[in-house]
Amino acid sequence: TLTVANPGNSATGGGWYTLPGSGRVNVGFNVRKVDTKCRTSCAYKGQLLLINNGKWRLKGTLDTYAKLSTGEGAASGSGDLFWWDATLNGGLGDWVLARSGVAFTANFYDSGGKGQKSTDTLGIRIVYSPVSPPQPNSLPNSDPQPLKGGDVKVP
């Protein structure tokens, strides 16, 4: 159940966190209302880039956003999901497209703090099942995690 406090005009964020078994996750996103005067059924546009410690990379377009409560938001979209193949390029490695049009959602919280003292959080759900082998066996899906560096802004 998703309870929306109001549509929200925009949200931005970026930073990193770690997940057991998945390593470091770097992420950045921005999403904004196309027409700032819109009150219902609003159109949104934005981007998200996630890089999971040399395992997964997701580059996508955000097209929904909801401000859930004070400082809390969620956005969704779709994009291209890549996995890191260390055997390519003579052992130097390269990104390989796993699939285009992969759906994802991001949930985030803005505590109002900034930088390393912030208690902002960010989590992601990517709708894809890894093909193993050769792809890494798990995606960096998680509930919102405390950022170890970075900031989220949900005005």
Side-chain angles (χ1 to χ4, degrees):
T1 302
L2 178 67
T3 304
V4 178
N6 62 57
N9 286 331
S10 66
T12 61
W16 66 277
Y17 56 90
T18 57
L19 291 174
S22 191
R24 184 173 169 141
V25 178
N26 297 297
V27 64
F29 74 94
N30 66 64
V31 62
R32 66 177 179 82
K33 198 184 285 186
V34 174
D35 176 2
T36 58
K37 296 176 183 175
C38 176
R39 297 290 174 240
T40 60
S41 302
C42 303
Y44 289 87
K45 67 178 184 177
Q47 300 83 36
L48 178 133
L49 177 61
L50 174 140
I51 300 174
N52 175 217
N53 200 28
K55 295 177 184 176
W56 295 100
R57 182 179 81 188
L58 174 65
K59 184 174 184 179
T61 301
L62 292 165
D63 53 21
T64 68
Y65 167 59
K67 185 175 178 181
L68 307 176
S69 64
T70 302
E72 186 177 13
S76 65
S78 64
D80 295 335
L81 180 66
F82 298 84
W83 64 281
W84 182 257
D85 186 345
T87 67
L88 296 178
N89 292 326
L92 296 175
D94 201 356
W95 292 105
V96 178
L97 180 66
R99 183 173 295 160
S100 292
V102 174
F104 62 90
T105 59
N107 292 290
F108 38 85
Y109 174 71
D110 177 5
S111 67
K114 295 191 184 299
Q116 295 194 7
K117 296 187 182 213
S118 167
T119 55
D120 294 353
T121 64
L122 193 138
I124 193 152
R125 293 274 178 223
I126 302 168
V127 183
Y128 178 77
S129 296
V131 178
S132 191
Q135 296 175 0
N137 60 9
S138 65
L139 291 165
N141 289 334
S142 72
D143 292 328
Q145 301 293 309
L147 294 179
K148 294 189 177 184
D151 191 29
V152 171
K153 294 180 184 173
V154 180

